[in-house]
Amino acid sequence: MRIALIHALKHSIGPIEAAFATLWPQAQLANLLDDSLSADLAREGALSARMTERFVTLARYAAGCGADGILFTCSAFGPCIEECARLLAPLPVLKPNEAMIEEVLAAAGASARVGLMATFAPTLATMPAEFAAAAPGVRLENCLAAGALAALDRGDGAGHDRAAAAAAAAVAHCDVIALAQFSLARAAPAIAAATGRQVLTTPDSAVRKLKRLLMA
């Protein structure tokens, strides 16, 4: 099976490749990166029709290269990815968080208190709608790990993890903590140790769902 992985942050590539190596090493991966997408969203402050067109172009390219499934790893672009899924159906096109949301509900229930953590602020503007669509009773508490992404950009992985673990104290009272970005997955052990809570990550959840869909 060929899986196309489409990224808007270079930091997402390592975590998803590691998840595939552990959970589905037989999959053939094809990485597509356009890190200007995140920079443009941060500058413009909102998704646009032009942004959606760019996502559709990437998805159609991946499909044209023979992808059996497409996984987007950029959490802040849900509506753009939904349009790709509509246009390319029945090809499986997954949003980065949909599988994790399903696992959050399975682990904590439809009325759980969920600490939703991110290091990229626009993610926290778009993801609540995804939770609301799947489980309106979930009570989300957003948590931005300020400075963590900048540390990762500098190559300071340990600093990124420390910043994420420190920020997680604000949601330590929640039933479960969901890490909304692939790049945050590396900090999951530190966050779990700091909070004592179950921590769910997007890469592992996404690989498990893709494997179920394509190997059934």
Side-chain angles (χ1 to χ4, degrees):
M1 290 289 177
R2 171 175 287 187
I3 308 299
L5 306 172
I6 302 180
H7 315 281
L9 283 173
K10 63 180 182 291
H11 305 305
S12 301
I13 297 175
I16 189 58
E17 287 188 336
F20 269 101
T22 300
L23 299 170
W24 194 9
Q26 300 83 3
Q28 178 187 6
L29 306 182
N31 288 290
L32 298 176
L33 169 65
D34 181 356
D35 55 6
S36 71
L37 290 166
S38 291
D40 290 347
L41 177 57
R43 184 181 64 254
E44 296 170 12
L47 298 175
S48 64
R50 175 58 185 148
M51 187 73 73
T52 299
E53 289 174 9
R54 292 168 66 184
F55 270 77
V56 170
T57 297
L58 288 167
R60 284 180 167 153
Y61 176 82
C65 291
D68 297 293
I70 297 174
L71 171 63
F72 286 89
T73 68
C74 31
S75 302
F77 301 89
C80 302
I81 300 166
E82 290 168 3
E83 179 66 5
C84 295
R86 185 185 71 82
L87 293 173
L88 294 179
L91 182 73
V93 177
L94 267 61
K95 290 187 290 186
N97 300 291
E98 63 182 83
M100 183 185 68
I101 291 172
E102 292 168 3
E103 292 192 354
V104 165
L105 299 180
S111 59
R113 291 178 302 172
V114 177
L116 181 63
M117 289 195 63
T119 60
F120 184 57
T123 296
L124 297 176
T126 59
M127 265 210 67
E130 297 181 37
F131 269 95
V138 163
R139 292 164 289 167
L140 284 184
E141 296 193 23
N142 291 346
C143 177
L144 179 67
L149 187 57
L152 205 56
D153 286 337
R154 295 191 303 270
D156 183 5
H160 166 274
D161 297 352
R162 286 194 300 270
V171 289
H173 60 282
C174 291
D175 300 307
V176 63
I177 295 175
L179 307 187
Q181 291 165 240
F182 281 62
S183 57
L184 250 178
R186 56 166 293 135
I191 292 170
T195 63
R197 295 299 181 182
Q198 182 179 7
V199 178
L200 294 173
T201 69
T202 45
D204 286 356
S205 300
V207 173
R208 283 191 286 264
K209 180 166 183 174
L210 270 174
K211 188 175 184 180
R212 288 196 308 271
L213 288 173
L214 293 172
M215 299 299 288

